[in-house]
Amino acid sequence: MASVLRFPVRRLASAEGRSAAIRALANPAEERIARAEELHLHDPEMLVSLVGLLWERSETNPESVRLEAEFFYTYLAEPYRPIGAMDEREYFLGEFALIAGTHSRVLGRRDEARLWFDRADAFFRLTVRVQADLSRLGYQRLAVRLEERCYSEVLELSPPLIESFRRLGMTEDCIKVNFLQVLALQEIGKLEKAIDLLEETSRAAVAHGLRRLHGLAQTNLFNLYANRGDAARAMDCCRVASSELASLGNRVGLAKLRWGAGTLLRNQGREKEAVEAFRAAIGEFRDLGMRGEVAATHLVVADLLIDQGAEAQAEWEIRAALPIIDEEKMVPEGMAAYALLRESVRRRKIDRNALRDVHGYFQE
Amino acid sequence: MGQNPSDREAQVDALFLRALPVITEALTSDYGLTEDEASELEQNLYLWFDRLARRPGQVPISSLRSSLLLAACQFARGVCQMKHEAAVARSAEEFPVPRYEPSAFAVELERRLLNRERES
């Protein structure tokens, strides 16, 4: 009978999948292919656990997650390898492309992210859970729109995406879309509406036991209250967010919280402490490989230093940001301002308006 | 994640077990597989379904029922095709490959399952 039913031989039990995935990741990428059999590299049990592990590590080490997702996508794509049963090969290719794209986006590599999203789209269409996975992809594409400052499009396209997730019963993803709307509202100056939506989002996250989203909502509330100058409420949110993020090992969230602390201190007129907080955030963003945030924060520090009359130090901060902006092609929409800033640094007389314009293009 | 993984595992098992009698009947009666072949197919179907339920972006387990039935029909059709090719190679009596499409027959299985649930 076994010669008739050609199902893949099961080598790993579900419980063994996770330890196999940890083992695969612990091996350097360049050694993995030679040890593919031993590491179960094309066993669907290992792969489904690996996908879970990569998403879990998303906010502790986005650069490593991006590289791992690229490795597994490439490994599964060429040469052709049958994986698991039914739609599993296409699913894993789609999922690794989505992970690679998401982390390219997080790291400010927007062009790469778009290509990965196109790959994810092509493979997800061949799977049985197509609506759910295309909706997850839709969320990431909307996040790119937000980063491109297309706020009205984000506000237009969020409700149907929320409705897709609602109809599919995907509560966590449904709540996540609120964050994109909040950021868009914030950018077009509708601060009170953004705060109301975030408070609602925070309550929904608690009601569904979604601690990561609760931590994220509190971080965003902290930033908004800090921007509004409401220090007491901001600090309350900071405490809640910090406790949630630390317990989840969310390094990205904690780094963003540090950035928010800098904003709060700046708004309180405590500029020297603000510079310290922002510099600490730069260190953390650098460790995480978040080059966009590193460059943006250097520019904020430069702006503060100019206020303090420390033009030479400000120039150093801008010089630290410029190569990153250049290499990652981070402000294609703000090239004119970027050119002015670059030229002003060359002449050693910083153009404050250009500095603020360029920084504006980074803000989420 | 909001839901305890062991709750989801229990839901996966419950859904699979509820659908199993209808799947077994279809495999043996409609697709002409032997009991042993049906049993092996069902084991592999369960493993695939369990992994499907663990994919990120959690959807309610109940919404995966139609995917389970579709997969059962696609697996079965694949086995019929292989048996047919094996028979041709041996110059033995041909094994018939059902004409109906897996997606259409999965809808029929869904109807049978609903009837069964209404009756019980």
Side-chain angles (χ1 to χ4, degrees), chain A residues 5 45 87-88 91 129 168, chain B residues 40 51 54-56 60 79:
Chain A
L5 300 188
E45 279 299 338
D87 62 343
E88 288 188 302
Y91 161 68
R129 227 187 53 164
L168 291 161
Chain B
E40 189 183 343
R51 288 193 296 268
R54 282 186 280 140
R55 292 181 190 179
V79 171

Side-chain angles (χ1 to χ4, degrees), chain A residues 21 46-56 91-92 95-96 99 136, chain B residues 54-56:
Chain A
M46 191 286 286
L47 291 169
V48 80
S49 296
L50 181 74
V51 161
L53 264 183
L54 292 182
W55 282 116
E56 279 170 30
Y91 161 68
F92 285 121
E95 189 72 37
F96 285 124
I99 297 173
R136 292 168 62 223
Chain B
R54 282 186 280 140
R55 292 181 190 179

Side-chain angles (χ1 to χ4, degrees), chain A residues 222-281:
Chain A
F222 164 67
N223 287 329
L224 284 178
Y225 285 131
N227 268 325
R228 204 170 68 172
D230 190 342
R233 291 178 96 161
M235 288 318 294
D236 285 345
C237 297
C238 184
R239 272 188 287 276
V240 177
S242 173
S243 142
E244 289 282 37
L245 298 173
S247 69
L248 296 166
N250 186 336
R251 289 174 60 204
V252 173
L254 285 168
K256 287 183 176 173
L257 205 55
R258 178 100 59 187
W259 194 93
T263 307
L264 178 61
L265 291 164
R266 184 183 60 191
N267 290 346
Q268 289 180 322
R270 295 154 67 182
E271 292 179 348
K272 284 193 174 157
E273 291 164 83
V275 168
E276 289 312 306
F278 282 126
R279 282 189 170 148

Side-chain angles (χ1 to χ4, degrees), chain B residues 4 14 19 22 40 48 54 62 81 83 104 115-116:
Chain B
N4 185 334
V22 167
E40 189 183 343
W48 171 82
R54 282 186 280 140
S62 57
Q81 189 68 43
K83 287 184 75 169
N115 282 346
R116 200 182 169 92

Side-chain angles (χ1 to χ4, degrees), chain A residues 1 4-7 10 14 44-45 48 51 85-88 91 95 129 136 168-170 172 208 210, chain B residues 1-2 36-37 40-41 44 47-48 50-52 54-60 71 74-75 79 82-83:
Chain A
M1 183 181 62
V4 174
L5 300 188
R6 284 184 232 145
F7 286 110
R10 187 188 191 192
S14 352
E45 279 299 338
V48 80
V51 161
M86 188 82 179
D87 62 343
E88 288 188 302
Y91 161 68
E95 189 72 37
R129 227 187 53 164
R136 292 168 62 223
L168 291 161
M170 297 170 74
E172 184 173 0
H208 290 94
L210 300 165
Chain B
M1 294 294 159
D36 282 349
E37 288 166 344
E40 189 183 343
L41 186 152
N44 283 285
L47 296 177
W48 171 82
D50 177 46
R51 288 193 296 268
L52 173 72
R54 282 186 280 140
R55 292 181 190 179
Q58 286 187 353
V59 297
Q74 290 205 351
F75 278 34
V79 171
M82 284 186 264
K83 287 184 75 169

Side-chain angles (χ1 to χ4, degrees), chain B residues 25-72:
Chain B
E25 188 192 325
L27 295 178
T28 51
S29 306
D30 298 285
Y31 286 96
L33 303 187
T34 66
E35 283 184 14
D36 282 349
E37 288 166 344
S39 170
E40 189 183 343
L41 186 152
E42 285 158 5
Q43 285 173 38
N44 283 285
L45 182 63
Y46 173 78
L47 296 177
W48 171 82
F49 184 60
D50 177 46
R51 288 193 296 268
L52 173 72
R54 282 186 280 140
R55 292 181 190 179
Q58 286 187 353
V59 297
I61 299 298
S62 57
S63 72
L64 298 176
R65 185 162 85 171
S66 51
S67 298
L68 172 66
L69 298 173
L70 173 64

